[in-house]
């Protein structure tokens, strides 16, 4: 059966390695706790001996370990900035619950949760304020409907990119910015009205001059910005999602918040994929971090259901919600005696694709978090953009239920045991000629798929790698015309004791014909890590294309420009090197994951640093320009 090939091909690869490689095979590792996946920069707090631990257990654990449905888990809180936690305990939503704590104890709780010594958490002043002409917005530079939030093909036309293929090898670093107290950057830069807009780990939004990095305004919100900043030319507003599952809408010219609305009442809900504007609505993908909760064998897993929510972009009022997974109900207990609830999960990690011609919205889902696996996981959906009614769904991998408990070998791992083959990247709607269209899908299985956008029927499947827990396609593909550029992650060791067949490892960049799935070229990445921890050669970050060129950021910190016709490397830059940054700081990148490059008027804007999930930390925003 075609729909089963995704799982069986990789499982046969595991068997081949185990049987044929024998003693020469590298021994895969297994994480002992979620702490093993963290890659922190600077001093850290030992959670076992932290004075904030007993304080948290006495005053907070009852609610945040599942006692109150809307209370975020410690794993979730660990991703907040330390001062944001102290602020919540002092003046925010938790001030009543923390009324008995002294100021010093509130700091200790924040240190325990974030593993960060408060004394080392220093927020330098933002970049210098712009003056004169740099402080003004160029109202003639109207943002085009390209990139995440508008057109998920991530292709930037020559009129906007302003960068010829022949000039790409001449790119040089123009300026860099060190995000304050950051180890990872999830926000895709956006350039509109002559201004660079980007979010950060501590929830600050920056409106910067693209030439110098000075700020026109900054606005700090409650939590990390995880999506692209979507600029709406008609309303002069910015839209994005955050760690806490909120959508925010700001005035682009002042930074003033117009509205903010949480998209789910689940405590671990978040927004990873960028909200999409189309047809008078805003389509918001809802994912969650509950998948990590099962790393605690006592946690009743799981109750989250993935969805896409359509809201009024003017007010945030919900119009409809399309769920992926079925309604969770009790399913028995684990060997540890913990309640199992399912089906669950099937998060929507990707930015929905809106098609005005058919008034449809397309999106993909991830794995179920608990038994039983249902038909909503690892699937592609087409829904009516006006009502949210499902038109069709196509499941690419059957029987996929997985959570972090599987990585640790715990009883909380569902009986299906994975394989964790999310459809994590946005579907690309491609015009293949003569009026024909193809919906191209990238999956963590290491496969690319071509689906009929009218019916969801599979037209072709091409294997590009072995896939896995951290394998295959992650954050996003790109397309120029009929060519689709597919980045493959394919980590060799994913910390879950799995064996992967190195013969089919696809780490690197691949080009396909959208009509047939035929491979045009493959540019597999050389492994230059030389044993460095949290270093891998593959591409997890979304790729971006301009005429004749594809920009891809690698997990080893290399930013490369590939020839779109041949896959040859035109230019590369090591983002892990220390760089002088504006304001007298030092910027240093790390693994590149999440957002990709933005290109505007001859400049390339990119973030580097992904200190989470076994990747290298970094804090760099870089701007490149052709040397004159």
């Amino acid at each position: 059966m075609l729909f089963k090939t995704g799982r069986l091909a990789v499982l046969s690869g595991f068997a081949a390695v185990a049987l044929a490689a024998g003693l020469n095979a590298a021994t895969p590792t297994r994480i002992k706790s979620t702490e093993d996946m963290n890659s922190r920069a600077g001093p850290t707090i030992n959670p076992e001996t932290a004075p904030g631990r007993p304080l948290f257990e006495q005053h907070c654990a009852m609610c945040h370990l599942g006692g109150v449905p809307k209370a975020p888990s410690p794993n979730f809180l660990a991703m907040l900035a330390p001062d944001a936690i102290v602020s919540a305990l002092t003046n925010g939503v938790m001030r009543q619950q923390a009324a008995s704590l002294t100021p010093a104890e509130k700091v200790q709780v924040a240190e325990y949760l974030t593993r960060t010594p408060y004394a080392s958490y220093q927020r330098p002043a933002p970049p210098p304020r712009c003056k004169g002409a740099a402080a003004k917005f160029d109202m003639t530079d109207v943002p085009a409907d390209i990139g995440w939030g508008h057109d998920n093909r991530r292709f930037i036309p020559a009129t906007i990119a302003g960068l010829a293929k022949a000039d790409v090898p001449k790119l040089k670093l123009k300026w860099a910015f060190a995000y304050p107290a950051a180890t990872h950057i999830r926000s895709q830069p956006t350039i509109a009205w002559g201004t660079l807009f980007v979010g950060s780990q501590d929830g600050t939004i920056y409106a910067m001059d693209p030439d110098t990095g000075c700020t026109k305004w900054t606005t700090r919100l409650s939590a990390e910005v995880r999506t692209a900043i979507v600029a709406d030319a008609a309303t002069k507003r910015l839209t994005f999602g955050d760690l806490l599952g909120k959508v925010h809408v700001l005035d682009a010219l002042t930074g003033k918040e117009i509205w903010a609305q949480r998209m789910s009442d689940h405590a671990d809900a978040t927004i990873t994929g960028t909200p999409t504007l189309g047809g008078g609505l805003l389509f918001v993908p809802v994912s969650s971090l509950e998948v990590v909760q099962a790393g605690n064998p006592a946690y009743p897993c799981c109750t989250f259901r993935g969805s896409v929510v359509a809201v009024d972009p003017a007010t945030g009022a919900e119009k409809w919600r399309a769920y992926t997974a079925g309604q969770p109900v009790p399913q028995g207990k684990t060997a540890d005696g913990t309640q199992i609830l399912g089906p669950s999960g099937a998060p929507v990690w990707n930015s929905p694709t809106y098609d005005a011609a058919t008034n449809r919205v397309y999106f993909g889902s991830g794995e179920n978090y608990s038994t039983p696996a249902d038909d909503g996981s690892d699937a592609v959906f087409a829904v009516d953009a006006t009502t949210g009614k499902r038109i069709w769904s196509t499941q690419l991998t059957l029987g996929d239920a997985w959570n972090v408990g599987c990585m640790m070998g715990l009883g909380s791992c569902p009986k299906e045991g994975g394989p964790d083959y999310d459809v994590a990247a946005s579907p690309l709607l491609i015009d293949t000629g003569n009026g024909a269209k193809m919906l191209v899908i990238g999956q963590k299985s290491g496969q690319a798929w071509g689906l009929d956008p009218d019916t969801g029927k599979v037209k072709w499947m091409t294997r590009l790698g072995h896939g896995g827990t951290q394998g295959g396609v992650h954050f996003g593909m790109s397309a120029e015309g009929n060519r689709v550029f597919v980045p493959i992650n394919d980590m060799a060791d994913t910390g879950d004791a799995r064996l992967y067949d190195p013969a089919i490892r696809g780490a690197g960049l691949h080009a396909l014909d959208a009509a047939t799935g035929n491979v045009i070229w493959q540019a597999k990445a050389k492994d230059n890590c030389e044993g460095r921890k949290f270093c891998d050669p593959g591409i997890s970050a979304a790729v971006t294309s301009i005429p004749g060129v594809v920009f891809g950021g690698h997990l080893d910190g290399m930013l490369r420009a590939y020839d779109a016709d041949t896959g040859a490397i035109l230019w590369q830059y090591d983002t892990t090197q220390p760089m002088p940054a504006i304001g007298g700081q030092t910027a240093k990148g790390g693994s590149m994951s999440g957002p990709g490059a933005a290109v505007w008027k001859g400049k390339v804007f990119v973030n580097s640093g992904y200190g989470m999930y076994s990747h290298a930390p970094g804090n760099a925003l870089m701007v490149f320009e052709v040397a004159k």
Side-chain angles (χ1 to χ4, degrees):
M1 291 291 291
L2 177 63
F3 299 140
K4 293 185 180 179
T5 58
R7 187 173 187 181
L8 294 179
V10 174
L11 289 177
S12 64
F14 298 164
V17 173
L19 294 175
L23 296 177
N24 294 322
T27 302
T29 61
R30 183 186 291 283
I31 64 170
K32 296 179 180 179
S33 77
T34 54
E35 286 291 314
D36 293 345
M37 295 189 291
N38 293 324
S39 53
R40 305 183 188 277
T44 60
I45 291 287
N46 182 347
E48 298 300 321
T49 59
R53 177 177 180 173
L55 291 170
F56 178 85
E57 291 173 347
Q58 178 182 353
H59 298 278
C60 314
M62 181 179 294
C63 295
H64 289 280
L65 292 180
V68 174
K70 294 185 179 182
S73 69
N75 287 315
F76 203 106
L77 296 172
M79 301 177 71
L80 296 175
D83 62 339
I85 293 177
V86 173
S87 178
L89 295 173
T90 306
N91 302 308
V93 294
M94 300 303 296
R95 62 186 182 276
Q96 290 184 344
Q97 290 84 348
S100 63
L101 298 179
T102 67
E105 289 174 330
K106 294 171 185 176
V107 167
Q108 290 172 345
V109 170
E111 289 181 326
Y112 164 68
L113 288 169
T114 64
R115 313 299 195 250
T116 303
Y118 204 74
S120 71
Y121 178 75
Q122 299 177 359
R123 286 183 42 79
R129 294 284 295 189
C130 296
K131 298 179 180 179
K136 298 180 181 179
F137 292 84
D138 180 1
M139 305 313 294
T140 66
D141 179 39
V142 179
D145 292 340
I146 60 172
W148 277 339
H150 293 291
D151 182 347
N152 289 324
R153 289 175 295 181
R154 298 183 59 83
F155 174 74
I156 305 173
T159 53
I160 297 171
L163 181 62
K165 178 178 176 179
D167 289 331
V168 167
K170 306 172 189 175
L171 287 169
K172 300 291 183 182
L173 182 67
K174 182 177 179 65
W175 59 265
F177 171 59
Y179 290 99
T183 60
H184 60 270
I185 308 104
R186 301 288 295 259
S187 177
Q188 170 80 49
T190 295
I191 303 90
W193 303 290
T195 304
L196 166 65
F197 300 100
V198 68
S200 65
Q201 184 178 342
D202 74 353
T204 300
I205 311 295
Y206 297 88
M208 309 173 86
D209 172 51
D211 286 316
T212 67
C214 67
T215 57
K216 301 181 182 184
W217 55 256
T218 62
T219 297
R220 189 178 184 192
L221 303 170
S222 56
E224 175 187 4
V225 180
R226 289 169 62 88
T227 76
I229 308 294
V230 182
D232 184 6
T235 62
K236 299 181 182 60
R237 292 181 175 183
L238 307 175
T239 302
F240 53 91
D242 75 4
L243 173 69
L244 298 178
K246 284 185 179 180
V247 168
H248 300 265
V249 175
L250 308 185
D251 184 311
L253 305 185
T254 66
K256 181 180 179 181
E257 187 166 73
I258 296 171
W259 62 262
Q261 186 71 36
R262 199 160 192 268
M263 293 292 115
S264 171
D265 61 2
H266 195 282
D268 290 317
T270 190
I271 300 174
T272 304
T274 300
T276 297
L277 285 166
L281 292 172
L282 181 69
F283 306 104
V284 183
V286 183
S287 58
S288 87
L289 304 182
E290 192 186 25
V291 67
V292 181
Q293 289 273 47
N296 175 5
Y299 181 79
C301 179
C302 280
T303 56
F304 172 80
R305 304 167 69 197
S307 66
V308 168
V309 187
V311 303
D312 183 338
T315 64
E318 183 175 326
K319 298 299 183 181
W320 54 256
R321 183 181 298 263
Y323 283 106
T324 51
Q327 180 68 47
V329 296
Q331 301 286 344
K333 294 184 178 181
T334 69
D336 299 312
T338 304
Q339 179 75 63
I340 300 171
L341 298 145
S344 64
V348 182
W349 300 111
N350 45 78
S351 180
T353 294
Y354 170 71
D355 181 27
T358 59
N359 194 42
R360 290 183 179 182
V361 177
Y362 302 99
F363 55 92
S365 67
E367 85 287 2
N368 291 115
Y369 292 168
S370 55
T371 296
D374 70 2
D375 62 3
S377 61
D378 298 350
V380 183
F381 298 81
V383 302
D384 183 279
T386 303
T387 64
K389 182 180 179 181
R390 186 179 300 184
I391 298 170
W392 58 257
S393 66
T394 299
Q395 189 170 34
L396 302 182
T397 301
L398 280 68
D400 186 4
W402 181 94
N403 59 49
V404 169
C406 300
M407 298 185 72
M408 300 164 64
L410 300 178
S412 53
C413 179
K415 64 181 181 182
E416 293 88 347
D420 185 26
Y421 282 170
D422 304 348
V423 179
S426 296
L428 303 188
L429 188 61
I430 308 295
D431 187 345
T432 59
N434 299 319
K437 292 187 177 182
M438 189 72 69
L439 198 65
V440 180
I441 307 299
Q443 192 181 0
K444 279 178 58 182
S445 60
Q447 296 162 288
W449 304 77
L451 273 59
D452 183 329
D454 291 330
T455 65
K457 181 180 179 180
V458 175
K459 308 295 287 186
W460 55 259
M461 184 279 286
T462 303
R463 175 166 292 285
L464 298 172
H466 56 57
T469 309
Q470 292 215 50
V473 185
H474 280 203
F475 279 94
M477 305 174 292
S478 183
E480 180 183 6
N482 198 39
R483 292 181 299 188
V484 178
F485 308 108
V486 186
I488 296 292
N489 191 335
D490 272 11
M491 286 174 61
D493 184 357
T494 55
D496 56 4
R498 292 186 181 184
L499 290 168
Y500 297 97
D501 186 351
I504 58 173
R505 184 162 298 140
L509 187 62
H510 309 252
L512 301 180
D513 182 312
T516 63
N518 292 338
V519 175
I520 301 172
W521 53 256
Q522 293 180 298
K524 293 189 178 181
K526 183 178 179 181
D527 188 349
N528 296 315
C529 290
E530 299 179 343
R532 279 184 291 157
K533 190 177 182 180
F534 299 136
C535 180
D536 288 275
I539 306 178
S540 174
V543 294
T544 304
S545 58
I546 65 174
V549 182
V550 187
F551 289 93
H554 293 246
L555 285 172
D556 61 6
M558 294 300 299
L559 173 64
R560 294 190 172 101
Y562 292 87
D563 187 316
D565 298 319
T566 67
I569 297 174
L570 301 173
W571 169 86
Q572 60 184 351
Y573 186 89
D574 183 359
T575 70
T576 65
Q577 60 187 296
M579 296 164 274
I582 55 177
Q585 306 298 314
T586 298
K588 184 179 184 297
S591 296
M592 304 183 77
S593 189
V599 187
W600 173 87
K601 294 188 177 181
K603 295 181 178 67
V604 179
F605 306 81
V606 69
N607 290 315
S608 180
Y610 205 75
M612 56 198 310
Y613 307 134
S614 302
H615 303 310
N619 66 350
L621 166 64
M622 294 155 290
V623 181
F624 298 91
E625 192 174 50
V626 173
K628 298 179 180 178

